[in-house]
Amino acid sequence: MSLRRRALVLALAAAAVFLVGLVVVLRLTVLPAFEASERRGADDALAAVHRALMMSAEDLDARMVDWADWDDAAAFAADGGEEFEQSNLGVTSMRSVEWHLFAVWSPTHGFRALRYADPDFRAFAEVPAAWRARLRPEGALLRGTASHGPPAHGFVVVDGAVWLVASRAIRRSDQSPCATPTRMVVARRFSDRWVQRIRRLTRVDVTVSPRPLPAGTPRVRAVSEDALRGALALAAS
């Protein structure tokens, strides 16, 4: 073999060794670093979505405080009354606060009020059996009523749909306990409009699903509200 050919072979071999070494280095250091950075970005995005979802539930809870801490509501809990129902529990009132479900319950009187509006707030409808099951006295939404238990809010899945829900003890306007321990529960369908709002706020193309997402869906995280056992799956594409 001539000297020139031998030099060429050695140069090609050195280049091959260099390329193999470069690939190994990329696989062991650079690519994992890129993947870790990508995972952190996705995790940060889902954390932002998670915060936005929790804020949605907290907002529902905050909006019902004026109703739950109200002398008129406490009087209605104790004695009932058509005037309160006619003035405050019509479908127009439910539309204004965006509550698809409204319930007032006590161990003494049962349901003082139970309203269920259709998705577009055109009229009231029969309360589905799945919601009645959620509103059992021993369930998370009504548990602790007799002891004026603490408020709870979060997500539930009812009949394959995601709902925001909040539950509070009814108190007088000065926040003293109601004479008859009574619970107020409100719920709102988590519609596509709310999903779009979350997407605009977080700039994440997020999917909110009440069912397990397909295997292999990237960046899946479960969101659970312990008090209500609501479970959602989030996926950022």
Side-chain angles (χ1 to χ4, degrees):
M1 181 184 293
S2 67
L3 185 61
R4 180 178 296 179
R5 180 171 295 180
R6 182 179 299 174
L8 180 60
V9 169
L10 290 174
L12 291 174
V17 170
F18 173 78
L19 289 175
V20 170
L22 181 61
V23 170
V24 171
V25 169
L26 288 174
R27 281 176 172 265
L28 294 179
T29 59
V30 178
L31 292 180
F34 278 130
E35 290 176 357
S37 177
E38 185 181 50
R39 281 195 299 272
R40 284 195 299 271
D43 287 344
D44 289 346
L46 282 181
V49 173
H50 182 221
R51 287 194 299 271
L53 287 169
M54 292 302 103
M55 287 174 62
S56 297
E58 291 165 7
D59 177 70
L60 180 70
D61 176 65
R63 287 173 180 268
M64 74 176 296
V65 170
D66 286 344
W67 283 64
D69 292 355
W70 185 20
D71 287 339
D72 287 3
F76 176 71
D79 304 319
E82 291 186 6
E83 183 178 350
F84 181 88
E85 292 194 47
Q86 292 174 356
S87 299
N88 301 289
L89 303 185
V91 71
T92 302
S93 297
M94 297 300 100
R95 183 190 303 118
S96 67
V97 289
E98 295 188 88
W99 294 344
H100 292 96
L101 180 118
F102 178 91
V104 172
W105 181 88
S106 75
T108 304
H109 303 295
F111 284 107
R112 280 293 194 194
L114 184 55
R115 300 285 188 275
Y116 182 85
D118 66 60
D120 298 319
F121 296 102
R122 290 188 297 265
F124 288 124
E126 181 70 21
V127 180
W131 258 117
R132 289 188 178 275
R134 284 278 182 183
L135 294 170
R136 295 192 306 270
E138 67 276 13
L141 295 174
L142 297 179
R143 190 184 304 129
T145 298
S147 58
H148 305 281
H153 59 270
F155 295 86
V156 294
V157 177
V158 180
D159 281 341
V162 177
W163 292 71
L164 288 165
V165 64
S167 172
R168 277 182 167 270
I170 292 179
R171 303 183 297 185
R172 297 185 180 90
S173 298
D174 62 5
Q175 299 185 0
S176 61
C178 182
T180 303
T182 305
R183 201 83 178 168
M184 181 181 293
V185 178
V186 301
R188 172 192 297 150
R189 288 179 177 86
F190 199 73
S191 63
D192 289 341
R193 180 170 64 85
W194 284 90
V195 174
Q196 293 296 332
R197 183 177 297 181
I198 296 294
R199 288 176 177 174
R200 288 196 300 271
L201 286 172
T202 62
R203 298 187 179 182
V204 177
D205 186 15
V206 67
T207 300
V208 179
S209 172
R211 294 171 294 277
L213 295 170
T217 302
R219 318 304 185 218
V220 176
R221 173 178 298 172
V223 177
S224 178
E225 187 71 21
D226 292 339
L228 302 177
R229 302 297 180 189
L232 302 178
L234 303 180
S237 59

